[in-house]
Amino acid sequence: MGIYVNPGNNSFRSAVRSEIYVDKTKMLCILNKALNTENRYFAVSRARRFGKSMAAGMIDAYYSRGCESRELFSGYEISKTEDYEKYLNKFNVLHFDVASFYNGIRNSDEMISKMDKTLLSEMKAEFPYLEEYECSSVPDALKTVYIHDKIQFVVIIDEWECIIRDAKDNEKLIMDYLRYLRGFFKTEESKQFLALGYLTGILPVKKMEGESALNNFEEYTMIRPKALSDYFGFTEDEVRGLCEDYNIDIEMVKQWYDGYIMKRVMPKTHERVTRHIYNPQSIVMVMRNSVMESYWKNTGAFRGLNDFIALNEKGLKDDVIRMLAGERCKVDVSTFQNDLTSYTSKDDVLTALIHMGYLGYDSDTEEAFIPNTEVAEVFESAIKVGEWSDIRDALNKSDELLKATWEGDSGKVADAIAKSQQNYASIINFHDENDLACAVMMSYYTAKKYYYIKRELPAGRGFADIAFIPRREGEKPAMIVELKWDKSAETALDQIKDKDYYGALSDYNDKMLLVGINYSKKTGEYSCKIEER
């Protein structure tokens, strides 16, 4: 049993012994069906903290001859399948993380040779007879072991695209690395010694001309998860079960952490299935701490987001603002080259953000959106320390607007929204009530600390434009905001009362605020009326 060669099952054992473990072992059935077929090449890309490392440890534990895992898998879904024992601990496994090698070197040009030397050294320790052979590389050693023992390999490479991502300007290193990977996955010898190839990363396989080291891999991405949609992240049913166990409000959890939509077409029936997937790290933290907050932000995610915001591709700021206000934006994901250098448009930037988990994506409508409150807070943090000073200033004034609304100061509210609009004037062109709603939503942006904010909430005899539902009962007044364009604030207020919009929020608080806002395109002025009910 080694670190890289035929690793043990300690990683997976730690996972199943944790306070919270959700059984994902049925994923192994998909891998088992692909063993020694043309479909045995898996490239799985997911955002950080979505369970890639846990899955890799599970694969180690199941296939590796370096451990005995029958008892460890007993009782889990894989143990109930017909082929469970057929493949259990029957393969040699090579598992390494490219990032751990790349981050530990000073001279990147030596990276591949040093990584190969380290892996080859452990191969010789695990298979001493290799000393008798002149193996020039790890792929050569895999071939030799297979010829000697007739036992195939499962090759797992974590963070496989680290070099392409972090050494993006070193074309020679990238090309040398892709040629190195050919030895594992694209030679005639590899067809004999490789039972399964499994890659994980943040980005899909890079599109490159002239190198085909990975064109035989099937990709399972944040945009097209295919058969692996349920196995990275927690499904809504799994989250609901945890909420019941820990007595946590599922609706609050959905507001904070729902929003990643995975769609796939089922084989045979061709049924289109939609899954809502949750970041498992955040869900585990909520269950353990009983506190809703942005756990993803604590990983430094907002600093990475800053790099994308700084690109400021044409139209990017406009789309981000509209998504922060709760809207969706069309995005063409087809032009993205799967790296962090070849941006040709805002669509490429938005596609990268989808793959990295900063945005959700609906493949039916081809729209991107900010998936939940947790990620919205990441965007807010990025904007506050980034280059979009006009947006930062508007967000900072949002608290003043909210306070004026609570105090019933209609004049201050109208004035605050007018000032906020000035910050968004170069981004949002006012044409209709939808643009007005976007501006008002952004003006009230920091209200998310106290409220769940709903656009077009079914209420009474129609739909309330914006509803502010208190996160904690009794702490803040519920609010209904109705918007009008070239009419009057009184008309907006009358509509709330005439159509009984407030009835939908009557259970949330004793105090409720009805807010009518009108924008006059002719004068460019706002008016406001507030009533307490």
Side-chain angles (χ1 to χ4, degrees):
M1 181 177 73
I3 297 174
Y4 310 110
V5 183
N6 283 336
N9 54 26
N10 290 338
S11 175
F12 185 59
R13 187 178 297 277
S14 295
V16 300
R17 284 181 173 177
S18 299
E19 178 183 342
I20 296 174
Y21 170 70
V22 174
D23 185 1
K24 300 290 186 178
T25 60
K26 203 166 183 181
M27 171 185 163
L28 294 166
C29 295
I30 297 172
L31 303 186
N32 283 344
K33 289 180 181 178
L35 289 168
N36 285 309
T37 71
E38 293 297 317
N39 304 316
R40 65 184 180 271
Y41 307 95
F42 289 77
V44 178
S45 58
R46 288 294 186 278
R48 295 195 186 281
R49 310 292 186 253
F50 267 75
K52 298 189 298 294
S53 296
M54 190 286 293
M58 176 182 71
I59 296 170
D60 284 345
Y62 182 69
Y63 289 118
S64 175
R65 298 176 68 244
C67 55
E68 168 52 60
S69 300
R70 182 175 283 99
E71 181 182 350
L72 185 58
F73 282 99
S74 177
Y76 292 117
E77 287 297 316
I78 186 62
S79 68
K80 304 170 187 176
T81 62
E82 183 179 351
D83 290 333
Y84 166 58
E85 300 231 1
K86 180 178 180 181
Y87 303 115
L88 179 65
N89 301 132
K90 297 292 174 47
F91 292 93
N92 289 316
V93 171
L94 174 66
H95 180 179
F96 59 98
D97 184 331
V98 176
S100 65
F101 287 100
Y102 182 76
N103 294 334
I105 62 167
R106 293 182 179 179
N107 184 350
S108 60
D109 292 336
E110 299 177 357
M111 187 267 171
I112 296 174
S113 62
K114 287 189 174 182
M115 180 172 68
D116 189 72
K117 183 178 179 180
T118 300
L119 298 176
L120 190 56
S121 176
E122 191 168 300
M123 285 286 296
K124 291 178 179 179
E126 181 73 12
F127 307 102
Y129 57 79
L130 286 175
E131 295 288 356
E132 303 174 13
Y133 299 87
E134 294 183 1
C135 297
S136 59
S137 65
V138 174
D140 192 27
L142 299 184
K143 176 195 70 174
T144 303
V145 169
Y146 173 69
I147 292 172
H148 190 277
D149 296 338
K150 295 297 186 288
I151 297 174
Q152 290 179 299
F153 277 84
V154 170
V155 176
I156 305 164
I157 306 181
D158 281 330
E159 300 282 355
W160 80 269
E161 92 291 28
C162 168
I163 292 175
I164 296 170
R165 189 178 70 237
D166 294 345
K168 50 184 176 290
D169 297 323
N170 192 335
E171 186 175 348
K172 181 180 183 304
L173 175 61
I174 292 173
M175 291 301 177
D176 287 346
Y177 175 57
L178 291 175
R179 294 186 188 102
Y180 180 65
L181 292 180
R182 285 184 61 86
F184 292 100
F185 307 118
K186 285 288 289 183
T187 63
E188 286 301 314
E189 292 84 358
S190 69
K191 293 177 182 178
Q192 300 298 316
F193 68 67
L194 186 73
L196 179 75
Y198 185 90
L199 309 179
T200 76
I202 298 172
L203 299 177
V205 175
K206 179 175 170 57
K207 300 173 182 177
M208 298 186 69
E209 297 181 3
E211 288 295 335
S212 57
L214 302 174
N215 66 358
N216 52 343
F217 275 78
E218 184 162 3
E219 298 187 67
Y220 302 82
T221 71
M222 293 286 285
I223 291 175
R224 295 181 179 83
K226 302 176 186 175
L228 300 186
S229 59
D230 291 0
Y231 299 109
F232 294 89
F234 292 165
T235 66
E236 188 164 315
D237 287 343
E238 290 165 346
V239 172
R240 191 177 299 276
L242 290 171
C243 287
E244 292 174 359
D245 292 343
Y246 283 82
N247 194 27
I248 301 289
D249 184 353
I250 180 63
E251 293 305 318
M252 290 185 67
V253 170
K254 289 170 72 172
Q255 287 284 341
W256 267 93
Y257 307 106
D258 189 12
Y260 295 101
I261 301 174
M262 305 286 182
K263 298 187 178 184
R264 60 173 296 210
V265 177
M266 302 298 290
K268 297 182 180 179
T269 65
H270 304 294
E271 177 188 4
R272 191 166 182 80
V273 174
T274 299
R275 292 281 192 265
H276 284 242
I277 300 297
Y278 295 69
N279 181 327
Q281 183 202 39
S282 297
I283 296 301
V284 168
M285 295 297 287
V286 168
M287 299 303 144
R288 293 179 61 194
N289 301 329
S290 299
V291 176
M292 309 277 179
E293 62 181 47
S294 181
Y295 295 101
W296 206 47
K297 183 171 66 176
N298 295 335
T299 67
F302 73 93
R303 299 191 184 279
L305 181 57
N306 257 336
D307 295 336
F308 292 94
I309 288 178
L311 293 169
N312 209 18
E313 293 286 345
K314 184 179 180 181
L316 177 62
K317 185 188 289 188
D318 183 13
D319 281 0
V320 169
I321 294 307
R322 291 185 178 278
M323 287 188 288
L324 282 170
E327 296 187 10
R328 292 182 168 205
C329 295
K330 280 283 188 180
V331 56
D332 180 0
V333 301
S334 66
T335 61
F336 184 54
Q337 295 298 303
N338 300 344
D339 65 20
L340 302 182
T341 60
S342 306
Y343 299 116
T344 60
S345 66
K346 69 168 183 176
D347 285 331
D348 287 348
V349 177
L350 294 176
T351 304
L353 294 178
I354 293 167
H355 285 298
M356 300 179 79
Y358 294 110
L359 296 175
Y361 179 71
D362 188 327
S363 58
D364 287 341
T365 62
E366 298 181 338
E367 292 174 321
F369 52 91
I370 294 175
N372 51 48
T373 301
E374 178 179 45
V375 179
E377 288 200 357
V378 176
F379 272 88
E380 183 180 346
S381 296
I383 289 171
K384 285 183 175 179
V385 299
E387 298 181 3
W388 293 355
S389 58
D390 51 346
I391 309 305
R392 179 175 65 246
D393 292 343
L395 293 180
N396 290 337
K397 294 174 183 175
S398 182
D399 284 330
E400 298 175 20
L401 170 62
L402 190 58
K403 184 179 179 183
T405 308
W406 289 335
E407 293 173 348
D409 192 330
S410 300
K412 268 191 177 180
V413 169
D415 185 55
I417 293 177
K419 289 179 179 177
S420 178
Q421 180 195 332
Q422 293 173 9
N423 294 93
Y424 301 121
S426 63
I427 304 170
I428 301 172
N429 296 315
F430 277 54
H431 297 298
D432 52 30
E433 286 189 18
N434 189 58
D435 291 335
L436 174 61
C438 182
V440 171
M441 287 282 286
M442 287 306 299
S443 298
Y444 277 104
Y445 187 77
T446 56
K448 294 180 179 183
K449 292 184 290 187
Y450 310 101
Y451 296 97
Y452 299 115
I453 305 176
K454 297 283 192 179
R455 285 276 304 274
E456 298 294 331
L457 177 73
R461 294 182 298 278
F463 293 85
D465 281 341
I466 308 174
F468 292 77
I469 305 169
R471 290 186 181 275
R472 297 177 181 84
E473 189 172 352
E475 185 176 274
K476 301 296 179 185
M479 301 194 304
I480 292 287
V481 176
E482 187 66 22
L483 307 174
K484 289 300 174 186
W485 182 274
D486 279 338
K487 293 183 181 178
S488 70
E490 290 85 352
T491 302
L493 202 60
D494 289 342
Q495 182 169 324
I496 296 175
K497 293 183 284 188
D498 292 345
K499 295 196 174 183
D500 191 27
Y501 289 162
Y502 52 81
L505 302 186
S506 58
D507 293 336
Y508 283 93
N509 236 319
D510 293 334
K511 182 179 179 181
M512 181 181 300
L513 297 178
L514 313 182
V515 183
I517 297 173
N518 180 69
Y519 174 72
S520 171
K521 189 172 183 180
K522 183 177 180 180
T523 64
E525 294 179 349
Y526 285 90
S527 59
C528 174
K529 288 289 183 180
I530 301 174
E531 282 188 14
E532 181 178 330
R533 189 173 186 88

